[in-house]
Structures are given as structure tokens and as C-alpha cells.
Amino acid sequence: MCHNQTSKKIDDDQRYIVHHKVPLTPKNIDDPYITCGWDNLMLLCIECHNKIHSKERRRMLFDDNGNLIGIDEPKNN
């Protein structure tokens, strides 16, 4: 759960998104336990989901059909 500790809709503007605990990568994107397994999924409000991903500096790259084709990882300085 997110910081609200509830799955109830708080107001009309509250939105939720499913978060993957183990991040999706080109190597695991076809693994149903990673992509769809309940143990790897977490329901978060959009605010909490964005906080988690704002700490990451990587970009996901997709083709015109929405398929993951790569991840642009920043180089460590």
C-alpha cells in the first residue's frame, strides 16, 4: 500500500498505479512471475509511485508497439 495505507478512493482526484517491486528489464520482461506475479506487484497512489521512480535516473525505451526495447542507464561518475 501507499502512504495512505488504504485502497479506498480518498477523493475524485486520487489515482492508483501498480508498481513492480523488481524493476522490469529487457532480461525479465517475458517472465510472468516478474511482470504479473502478485508477489512482485504493489498498489500505490500515483504520488508514491512517482516518488519511488523519481529516485531512479534510468529511462525506459519502447518501440511503436509499446514493447520494451531497452533501458538507458546513467553512467556512474
Side-chain angles (χ1 to χ4, degrees):
M1 279 303 156
C2 67
H3 74 283
N4 296 316
Q5 297 298 309
T6 181
S7 59
K8 293 180 182 176
K9 192 172 186 180
I10 295 180
D11 59 42
D12 290 336
D13 294 330
Q14 187 68 41
R15 297 178 297 153
Y16 293 91
I17 191 167
V18 174
H19 172 69
H20 292 89
K21 296 175 189 175
V22 174
L24 300 178
T25 67
K27 290 182 181 180
N28 69 20
I29 193 72
D30 293 321
D31 182 341
Y33 295 104
I34 300 295
T35 58
C36 301
W38 288 111
D39 290 340
N40 192 41
L41 302 176
M42 175 189 278
L43 182 65
L44 297 174
C45 72
I46 196 78
E47 178 184 343
C48 288
H49 188 261
N50 289 344
K51 283 181 185 176
I52 290 171
H53 286 285
S54 69
K55 296 174 186 173
E56 299 174 0
R57 299 289 184 224
R58 65 184 188 160
R59 290 185 325 142
M60 309 299 269
L61 307 172
F62 299 92
D63 65 16
D64 291 338
N65 295 319
N67 299 307
L68 180 65
I69 56 173
I71 299 175
D72 184 13
E73 297 276 358
K75 296 188 178 14
N76 292 336
N77 293 336

